[in-house]
Amino acid sequence: MSEPVLYDYWRSSAAYRVRIGLNLLELSYRSQAVDLLSGDHRAAENMSRNPQGLVPTLEIDGLILSQSPAIIEYLDETRGAGWLPPTPAERARVRALAHALAMDIHPICNLHVVRHAAALGGTTTEDWMRHFIPRGFEGLERMLGQGRIGRYSVGDAITIADICLVPQVYNARRWGVDLAPFVNILSIESALADVPAFAAAHPEAVRPVASP
């Protein structure tokens, strides 16, 4: 079977999640850059494989997969990764944490949303990010603090929640968000920083030469 291909943008939080997942599974893959700043994602070639005109897209097992949460769950289900716990209650908790990141914080801070808000006037990209990311993190911090046991988001095993958390913390730092109040978030991120698969997926580790 052919090597998987990840259509990727180095700074995309969603693509970052999928890189983490592939690295955790030690799956060899080829990365194909889709430059969001130059509009490659809206070009016909990318639209043909990702009708939403987004990244990431993963070609694997003869399939073309989009939407990072769906890709990660597919990898988990087909490779036995164990990123979802065994009990329904634990799985619900992991998904709630992951969704708080991927479905609440991330969409409102997506590039096309922020550009449109800035174009309407009354805000800048920095102000937008520094407003909405902390608001999302406040809720996430409380969620994590409800009975947290272990090094990571839910216990001592890496879950989908952790795969979603690290890219959002990177994004927060990029925009100068004060993370000091978020003790649980920082503790989990620090523990995950020691995991080679996370380090290898970091945007600075995959940044193309001469990218701004």
Side-chain angles (χ1 to χ4, degrees):
M1 191 169 290
S2 60
E3 183 179 45
V5 180
L6 176 64
Y7 295 90
D8 188 8
Y9 179 65
W10 66 284
R11 260 188 173 156
S12 162
S13 299
Y16 189 174
R17 297 172 199 144
V18 176
R19 292 197 302 267
I20 292 169
L22 292 167
N23 291 347
L24 285 168
L25 292 170
E26 299 183 350
L27 280 178
S28 175
Y29 68 94
R30 177 168 61 87
S31 179
Q32 179 68 46
V34 178
D35 191 340
L36 301 185
L37 296 184
S38 64
D40 287 355
H41 56 302
R42 303 302 299 178
E45 183 179 3
N46 191 60
M47 295 288 287
S48 68
R49 60 179 164 257
N50 190 313
Q52 292 180 286
L54 301 173
V55 294
T57 307
L58 181 65
E59 291 185 1
I60 190 169
D61 301 339
L63 303 171
I64 301 176
L65 305 177
S66 61
Q67 287 292 342
S68 63
I71 294 171
I72 291 165
E73 289 211 25
Y74 175 84
L75 293 174
D76 180 56
E77 291 172 0
T78 58
R79 269 72 183 175
W83 298 331
L84 285 169
T87 70
E90 289 175 312
R91 289 197 296 275
R93 176 165 171 75
V94 166
R95 287 190 172 110
L97 293 167
H99 293 178
L101 289 153
M103 299 182 187
D104 290 337
I105 301 173
H106 178 244
I108 203 168
C109 295
N110 216 336
L111 185 64
H112 69 278
V113 173
V114 180
R115 281 179 170 172
H116 182 66
L120 292 174
T123 189
T124 65
T125 299
E126 291 79 8
D127 287 345
W128 184 274
M129 297 295 197
R130 291 171 190 168
H131 175 75
F132 283 106
I133 295 175
R135 287 187 66 177
F137 274 8
E138 287 166 7
L140 180 69
E141 179 73 10
R142 290 191 293 269
M143 291 170 71
L144 288 167
Q146 292 177 338
R148 182 186 162 208
I149 299 172
R151 301 182 69 212
Y152 304 134
S153 297
V154 180
D156 288 321
I158 290 170
T159 66
I160 290 173
D162 301 304
I163 293 171
C164 290
L165 183 141
V166 168
Q168 192 58 61
V169 175
Y170 163 80
N171 201 38
R173 284 205 174 95
R174 178 187 171 197
W175 295 108
V177 173
D178 179 12
L179 294 174
F182 307 117
V183 177
N184 286 307
I185 291 172
L186 288 178
S187 170
I188 295 163
E189 189 235 5
S190 177
L192 291 165
D194 294 331
V195 180
F198 282 79
H202 192 283
E204 293 303 323
V206 300
R207 180 178 185 163
V209 176
S211 289

